[in-house]
Amino acid sequence: MGDEIKLRVSKIEKSFPGVKALDKIDFSVRKGTVHALCGENGAGKSTLMKIINGIYKPDAGEIYIDEEPVKIKDPIKARSLGIAMIAQELNYVPEMSVEENIFLGRLPVDKFGRVKWGEVRSRTLQLLQDEHLPYKPTDKLKMLTTSDIQMLEIMKAISNDASIIVMDEPTSSITQKEVELLFKKIDILRAKGCAIVYISHKMDEVFRIADDITVFRDGTVVKSMRAADTNIDEVIALMVGRRMENVYPKADIEIGEPLLEVENLRSGQLFENINFHVNKGEIVGFAGLVGAGRTEVMRCLFGLDPINGGTVKVHGEEIKVKCASDSIKHGMVMLSEDRRRYGIIPMRSVRENASLSSLEKFFYGGTAHPKKEAEVVGMYFDKMSVKTPSQETAIQSLSGGNQQKVLLAKWMMRDPEVLILDEPTRGIDVGAKFEIYKLMTEVAQAGKAVVMVSSELPELIGMCDRIYVMCEGHIAGELHRDEFSQEAIMMYATGTHSIIKEEI
């Protein structure tokens, strides 16, 4: 296969109102290789992939498959040309079953146009068995976790026998074990001659599996190169236009008295006997494997799920949290791990999304004050470095990193006492991550409390004062900064720490 080109785009251009997303893009992928696309959120990576998949139409330029020009008018045409795509944002119908999701848009029918449900069921069972996924074909997607749905999307794309596969942040919501399974699958696909475009902000992944790397910045190609001829520092510098010396801007902050205290918290079968505290000026992390109960604890604290027992105190005062408004009233806010499902209102403007939790500030004297709203929103957008054509732009048209910063601006407008961040840097670039880390530091410096749930151990180690590790619905251990290491965290997360102690 060598240097044989499978997919090539030439002089591709695409503009949206107020912004040029792609400017004369030249890009190619060799057969039997993984080509990584790197760049900050908003650099144009996902826009190009949506053009290749027929979701967007280019304003100019050509697309070639096996050096033959093609016109891709929609995703159905893309599929017929052997193109499959795993999108960054999970788009699914919660009431749909696993089998319906897998065959969405390609249900087999008989000569009378009736769906062959028997074939759908048998093929779904075979796919689930081949990929070692423990779901039933009839399971509703709303009953599955974000990680489960991500694995199904990966399986669906791979099952199409595609020769060109686009993977846009495929590991953003899955466990390390599932990542290893995906990488094995990628190796098999590469050996079969598939051309794989791999978009990721996780540089360790990029350099582990990529053969080639192309860096995008501000809608242009900065450089394309063989992965073996470059390194992480060079790629990051090309992405952001500067070298980043300090990825984790952790500051020495005087730790005060307890601000948030949680005692004997429990919720059904999800978790029990949860005890932890966060002091003023402290950033406390929650680590653990997917399904350990971290998100469930935070959802209960924020009033999204019921608390069956235990106490929650803020500033020493016990509070009753029955819904999100109770939590917000006491100065506790939460950024959800799934911004599309629980964070943004896609069709609404960035202004409306940002001001949603603080509307009472802009209604007084019986009248709405849109000028005041725009001023306050603009101030927080400047502070958060939100990139948007205007405040009236629909939030769904922004990059993932900018959507995340809009949601953070929404909560910062509340001036919270406790800021809960559930996977705040999932699927966003190193520049946007740095902005979020800086915000966390500023909140802590103001004497507030920050709780960060993350599956990325380096950022927990880089930003936290203490880390609680959860395992199977309970807190398995607590680590202070001088005890931090990925090995120590994983021992607690997998339940092996107590086993080793008993053997000793």
Side-chain angles (χ1 to χ4, degrees):
M1 287 165 278
D3 293 330
E4 190 177 351
I5 301 299
K6 179 65 182 180
L7 168 70
R8 180 168 67 88
V9 303
S10 175
K11 302 293 184 287
I12 291 287
E13 296 186 25
K14 181 66 179 177
S15 294
F16 298 102
V19 61
K20 184 147 193 173
L22 297 174
D23 187 13
K24 295 182 174 60
I25 298 295
D26 292 316
F27 171 75
S28 60
V29 188
R30 297 180 293 144
K31 283 185 178 180
T33 66
V34 176
H35 196 129
L37 268 188
C38 299
E40 293 189 278
N41 287 107
K45 310 180 303 296
S46 294
T47 300
L48 178 62
M49 294 306 105
K50 287 176 180 177
I51 287 173
I52 290 170
N53 198 44
I55 297 171
Y56 293 157
K57 288 184 173 61
D59 299 331
E62 296 290 337
I63 301 174
Y64 300 85
I65 295 178
D66 293 324
E67 294 300 349
E68 293 290 330
V70 295
K71 298 292 183 184
I72 307 177
K73 61 181 181 178
D74 53 41
I76 295 174
K77 177 64 175 178
R79 192 183 305 137
S80 72
L81 292 168
I83 299 170
M85 180 171 176
I86 303 164
Q88 177 182 358
E89 299 289 354
L90 297 174
N91 292 308
Y92 58 93
V93 182
E95 292 294 335
M96 188 175 284
S97 68
V98 168
E99 61 188 3
E100 289 170 329
N101 174 71
I102 291 173
F103 288 93
L104 183 62
R106 57 188 185 108
L107 286 166
V109 295
D110 61 20
K111 63 181 180 180
F112 300 108
R114 293 175 299 199
V115 176
K116 299 178 181 178
W117 288 111
E119 181 180 335
V120 168
R121 177 68 49 84
S122 62
R123 288 172 63 185
T124 300
L125 284 169
Q126 187 62 53
L127 285 169
L128 292 171
Q129 182 179 333
D130 291 346
E131 301 300 327
H132 307 289
L133 297 178
Y135 325 124
K136 298 176 183 175
T138 53
D139 285 345
K140 294 284 184 72
L141 295 194
K142 68 180 181 180
M143 305 304 296
L144 305 184
T145 66
T146 304
S147 173
D148 294 334
I149 295 167
Q150 181 80 69
M151 286 303 293
L152 283 174
E153 288 296 303
I154 292 168
M155 183 183 77
K156 181 167 70 173
I158 291 173
S159 70
N160 285 338
D161 291 326
S163 57
I164 300 168
I165 301 176
V166 177
M167 299 184 176
D168 194 351
E169 295 288 349
T171 65
S172 63
S173 304
I174 62 178
T175 66
Q176 188 58 42
K177 180 180 178 182
E178 290 165 336
V179 170
E180 296 301 325
L181 290 174
L182 173 63
F183 286 175
K184 287 179 181 177
K185 182 64 69 173
I186 287 174
D187 285 337
I188 293 170
L189 293 168
R190 179 162 39 193
K192 287 170 58 179
C194 289
I196 299 170
V197 181
Y198 192 91
I199 301 176
S200 178
H201 296 302
K202 299 178 180 179
M203 290 295 108
D204 56 335
E205 288 185 1
V206 167
F207 279 87
R208 180 176 167 186
I209 65 168
D211 299 290
D212 303 310
I213 296 174
T214 292
V215 178
F216 273 47
R217 188 168 74 235
D218 298 329
T220 63
V221 171
V222 179
K223 188 175 182 181
S224 290
M225 56 216 142
R226 296 284 196 264
D229 297 334
T230 186
N231 56 57
I232 290 177
D233 289 341
E234 181 187 9
V235 170
I236 291 176
L238 290 169
M239 284 168 56
V240 302
R242 66 191 187 280
R243 290 203 173 270
M244 297 187 66
E245 303 297 334
N246 183 15
V247 178
Y248 302 109
K250 176 66 177 162
D252 290 326
I253 301 169
E254 184 178 345
I255 305 300
E257 61 190 23
L259 201 165
L260 171 66
E261 298 169 90
V262 177
E263 298 176 1
N264 299 319
L265 196 71
R266 69 176 187 275
S267 179
Q269 303 297 314
L270 298 175
F271 58 82
E272 61 181 6
N273 195 32
I274 299 298
N275 294 275
F276 72 92
H277 68 279
V278 189
N279 299 317
K280 291 181 179 180
E282 195 174 30
I283 300 175
V284 169
F286 270 74
L289 303 178
V290 172
R294 301 167 301 163
T295 293
E296 289 76 8
V297 169
M298 302 308 153
R299 284 178 58 85
C300 284
L301 287 178
F302 191 53
L304 297 177
D305 293 329
I307 295 173
N308 297 138
T311 59
V312 180
K313 295 179 182 178
V314 175
H315 288 301
E317 176 190 350
E318 184 175 346
I319 64 172
K320 298 296 182 184
V321 181
K322 295 183 179 179
C323 60
S325 60
D326 292 336
S327 179
I328 294 169
K329 182 174 67 178
H330 289 95
M332 186 158 52
V333 301
M334 175 179 167
L335 186 74
S336 171
E337 67 169 334
D338 188 341
R339 60 178 167 264
R340 178 164 289 275
R341 189 173 181 181
Y342 299 114
I344 67 170
I345 303 175
M347 300 297 291
R348 293 292 186 175
S349 69
V350 290
R351 172 185 54 79
E352 291 171 302
N353 274 270
S355 64
L356 185 61
S357 67
S358 304
L359 289 176
E360 71 275 11
K361 294 182 179 181
F362 314 118
F363 282 84
Y364 46 89
T367 308
H369 294 265
K371 186 176 179 181
K372 177 69 173 177
E373 179 187 10
E375 286 176 1
V376 174
V377 168
M379 180 179 71
Y380 278 92
F381 280 9
D382 288 342
K383 185 177 180 180
M384 296 298 304
S385 302
V386 175
K387 294 179 182 177
T388 177
S390 79
Q391 289 192 13
E392 301 311 309
T393 300
I395 195 171
Q396 65 182 354
S397 67
L398 299 191
S399 66
N402 282 300
Q403 289 180 8
Q404 193 79 319
K405 288 191 280 188
V406 169
L407 294 177
L408 278 167
K410 173 180 76 173
W411 290 127
M412 295 315 297
M413 287 168 67
R414 297 288 315 182
D415 190 23
E417 292 295 301
V418 180
L419 177 62
I420 300 173
L421 304 172
D422 192 356
E423 302 286 2
T425 65
R426 172 176 288 165
I428 64 176
D429 62 75
V430 290
K433 285 182 179 182
F434 187 75
E435 297 288 344
I436 291 174
Y437 298 149
K438 280 202 305 182
L439 174 70
M440 292 167 59
T441 300
E442 289 169 8
V443 171
Q445 286 174 326
K448 310 298 179 67
V450 180
V451 180
M452 178 170 67
V453 175
S454 178
S455 298
E456 294 194 30
L457 301 188
E459 74 176 4
L460 287 174
I461 291 170
M463 289 302 301
C464 294
D465 297 290
R466 288 182 296 118
I467 298 174
Y468 290 99
V469 188
M470 291 193 65
C471 176
E472 296 180 349
H474 68 277
I475 292 177
E478 176 188 354
L479 297 168
H480 294 260
R481 279 196 73 81
D482 59 355
E483 302 171 304
F484 287 178
S485 73
Q486 295 198 30
E487 292 76 15
I489 293 171
M490 288 308 297
M491 284 173 67
Y492 279 118
T494 55
T496 55
H497 186 274
S498 57
I499 296 171
I500 291 172
K501 281 182 70 177
E502 287 174 9
E503 289 178 349
I504 293 172

